[in-house]
Amino acid sequence: MVPQWIIEKKRDGAALAEGEIRAFIEGYTRGTIPDYQMAALAMAVFFRGMTRAELAVLTDAMMRSGTALETSRIPGVKADKHSTGGVGDKVSLILAPLAASCGVVVPMISGRGLGITGGTLDKLESIRGYRTDLAPDEFMAVLAECGCSIVGQTAAVAPADRKLYALRDVTGTVPSIPLIAASIMCKKLAEGIDALVLDVKWGRGAFMKTPEQARELARTMVEIGAGAGKAMSALITDMNQPLGRTAGNALEVAETLEALSGRGAPDLMRVTLALTAQMLVLTGRVPDTSAARPILQAQLGSGAARRRFLEMVARHGGDAEALASGAGLPRARLRREIRAPRAGTVSAVDAGRVGRACLALGAGRTRVEDAVDHAAGISGIVKIGERVDEGQPLAALHANDEGRLDEALRIIDGAFAIGEGEARPPELIVETVRPGNG
Ligand code: URA
C-alpha cells in the first residue's frame, strides 16, 4: 500500500477499497503512516465525503485499532445514549440510572467538555471522590452490580480515533460529517452494546447549527450503527436555549438530583424521558414509547432512579451520603445575579452566549489539558416563554475569581431577550431518525 496513492484517490473523488482504508488506519495507529499523510486524507474526506460502505469500514477499522469492552460477560441487554453535546445537557446523568432501574445495562463511556459544550465526566468529577478512571474489571463489576457505570475513555478504546481527533482539531477537519460520525460510532461500538440512542443537537449551543446538518449527522450515525447490527434511533433536539436551569458541573449535578427526585425542569425531563423511552423500546423492554412513559414516571416517583444514581456514585468512590444530604459538591465563593431590565416575556436565551460565559467563569476548557473549576457556572436560568417582572433574576453566575466573573458578565450581556406578549418555546424534539426512515 502506498499511502499517497490512497490520498490521491480520495482527493480525486473515488471511493476507497476496504483494504485501503484498513491499511491506512492500521498504519496510522502503529505510527508507520505519519500525521501529515493522515491529515491529507482527512482533508480529502472533508471535501469528497465517503460512501456508506467506506464509512462502515472506517468506523470498524477505528474500533478495531483498540480493544472492545467485554460487556457480553454481563447478562442482560446493553444500551447506551450519546449526545453530540450542548449547554446544560445533564441528560446522561439522569438517563443512565433511570434506564438501569428499568433493567437495561448501561455501559457509558463519556467525554470531557471542550469549548462551550459541557462533558459528563467533568460533571461527575465535581462529586467528591467520584472516579471516572475505573480499570476494566472494576467497570465490569459496577455494571454487573449496579446496572450502569459512567467512565472515561481509556487508552485501549479506539486509539486511532484519539490520535485522529487531536489531528483534526489542528488541521481544520473537525466539522466533517463522515469523520464526526465515524469518530463517535467507533467508540460507542467498542462498548459491546446491543442498542444505541443518539441525541443530535442543533442550534446556537450545539456543534450543528441547522436542523438539516443535525439530520444528516443523525442519519449517518444511525446507518453505521444499524449496519453493525445494533438497534438504533436518533432524536434531533433543540439547543438554542440551554437545557434545564443550570450550566456548569456541580450545579448540573445538583439539578440532576432534583430531576431524579421528580422536580426536573420540563424541557430537561421531556428530552430525558424521550431518549430513555427510545432506549426501552430498542432493548425490547416495551413495545412503544407510550408504554415506556408510565414506567419511567414510576421509577422517578418511587425514588428508584435516584437511589440507582447514588449507588453508582458510591461504587465509583463518590461520597453519595454527602450528596444525598445536599452536600458533597463544591460551591463557588462569588455569586452575582443578572436581572431583567423590564417586565415582559422571555423570548430568547442564547445557549451559545451562556456556554461562552460558563467557559469564562472557568466551568469549561478551551484546550484538552486545561483544568476546570467544578463550582463555576450559571444557575436559575429563565426559559423562553416565562413571564418576568422588572428586576427579577434571569440567572445567577457562580465563580471563584472576580476577573472571570466580570468577563462572564460581559459575555452574557444580551443573551436574554425580553419581549411583549407571548413567546413560544422552540420545538424541543424536532424529529426521530430510525434506520430506513432517514
Ligand atoms: N465527538 C467525537 O467524539 N468526535 C468528533 O469528531 C466530534 C465530536
Side-chain angles (χ1 to χ4, degrees):
M1 188 221 25
V2 181
Q4 51 270 47
W5 293 351
I6 296 176
I7 298 167
E8 286 163 11
K9 191 170 169 185
K10 181 47 66 185
R11 179 201 64 195
D12 295 340
L16 302 179
E18 173 165 356
E20 291 171 330
I21 297 172
R22 289 197 188 279
F24 212 101
I25 294 299
E26 272 164 31
Y28 180 57
T29 311
R30 279 202 315 271
T32 53
I33 291 185
D35 274 353
Y36 55 81
Q37 285 185 313
M38 186 72 236
L41 183 64
M43 190 58 88
V45 171
F46 179 93
F47 283 112
R48 292 297 192 169
M50 278 191 140
T51 65
R52 241 184 242 193
E54 284 178 291
L55 253 185
V57 174
L58 176 66
T59 309
D60 188 67
M62 288 189 357
M63 183 192 83
R64 286 175 198 277
S65 68
T67 48
L69 296 173
E70 288 177 22
T71 44
S72 56
R73 283 200 269 140
I74 296 166
V77 61
K78 282 126 222 141
D80 193 10
K81 184 230 52 159
H82 178 82
S83 160
T84 55
V87 178
D89 181 3
K90 68 279 296 170
V91 169
S92 291
L93 301 183
I94 311 166
L95 170 143
L98 179 56
S101 77
C102 298
V104 180
V105 178
V106 187
M108 191 179 273
I109 299 180
S110 289
R112 295 188 184 282
L114 192 60
I116 63 165
T117 60
T120 300
L121 295 185
D122 297 323
K123 294 171 207 202
L124 285 167
E125 284 177 355
S126 66
I127 301 169
R128 197 189 305 144
Y130 191 102
R131 285 177 54 216
T132 55
D133 61 347
L134 300 188
D137 280 356
E138 291 177 292
F139 177 59
M140 294 297 168
V142 177
L143 262 186
E145 289 153 17
C146 177
C148 59
S149 178
I150 307 180
V151 292
Q153 187 185 345
T154 66
V157 174
D161 174 65
R162 191 178 278 253
K163 261 182 105 172
L164 178 54
Y165 191 77
L167 188 66
R168 284 167 55 210
D169 205 23
V170 291
T171 55
T173 49
V174 168
S176 149
I177 285 183
L179 294 179
I180 295 173
S183 165
I184 292 173
M185 291 302 294
C186 74
K187 290 173 287 206
K188 290 289 139 185
L189 296 180
E191 291 174 347
I193 44 177
D194 306 294
L196 178 65
V197 180
L198 300 165
D199 180 6
V200 183
K201 296 193 175 294
W202 83 273
R204 293 174 181 170
F207 241 132
M208 300 289 128
K209 298 299 176 200
T210 66
E212 291 72 30
Q213 287 175 339
R215 190 171 296 122
E216 194 187 336
L217 179 60
R219 281 182 190 158
T220 308
M221 291 195 288
V222 163
E223 276 168 11
I224 292 174
K230 311 297 171 193
M232 295 288 303
S233 68
L235 298 187
I236 296 171
T237 66
D238 178 85
M239 184 34 73
N240 284 293
Q241 69 169 337
L243 197 57
R245 297 203 180 268
T246 61
N249 302 301
L251 295 167
E252 291 193 48
V253 173
E255 188 177 13
T256 294
L257 282 163
E258 286 291 298
L260 285 167
S261 305
R263 295 187 294 272
D267 64 333
L268 172 62
M269 295 320 290
R270 182 135 188 267
V271 173
T272 305
L273 293 176
L275 289 162
T276 319
Q278 289 287 331
M279 200 181 246
L280 297 197
V281 173
L282 292 181
T283 54
R285 318 297 301 179
V286 292
D288 53 41
T289 52
S290 55
R293 296 304 163 118
I295 297 173
L296 297 174
Q297 292 294 0
Q299 295 306 93
L300 289 169
S302 69
R306 184 175 188 272
R307 282 194 296 280
R308 198 59 78 108
F309 178 72
L310 292 171
E311 186 188 340
M312 179 184 78
V313 167
R315 289 183 187 277
H316 278 252
D319 191 344
E321 237 171 77
L323 197 61
S325 67
L329 289 172
R331 277 170 187 258
R333 207 164 45 79
L334 307 167
R335 183 178 188 279
R336 189 105 32 103
E337 283 176 347
I338 40 173
R339 293 178 180 272
R342 60 195 173 89
T345 306
V346 179
S347 56
V349 183
D350 183 335
R353 271 183 198 256
V354 172
R356 285 194 292 283
C358 270
L359 204 55
L361 290 167
R365 51 174 76 75
T366 44
R367 291 169 312 162
V368 201
E369 59 276 17
D370 289 348
V372 299
D373 179 347
H374 290 109
I378 303 177
S379 66
I381 302 169
V382 291
K383 311 292 300 185
I384 296 173
E386 288 179 352
R387 295 278 314 163
V388 290
D389 294 328
E390 184 183 336
Q392 186 178 321
L394 299 174
L397 274 58
H398 304 248
N400 283 309
D401 180 297
E402 287 282 359
R404 284 185 173 277
L405 196 54
D406 291 342
E407 169 71 3
L409 281 165
R410 266 194 302 278
I411 295 171
I412 208 165
D413 189 38
F416 297 90
I418 296 169
E420 309 289 335
E422 303 274 291
R424 275 167 61 90
E427 193 67 54
L428 200 52
I429 299 172
V430 181
E431 192 176 318
T432 305
V433 178
R434 297 191 187 84
N437 85 343

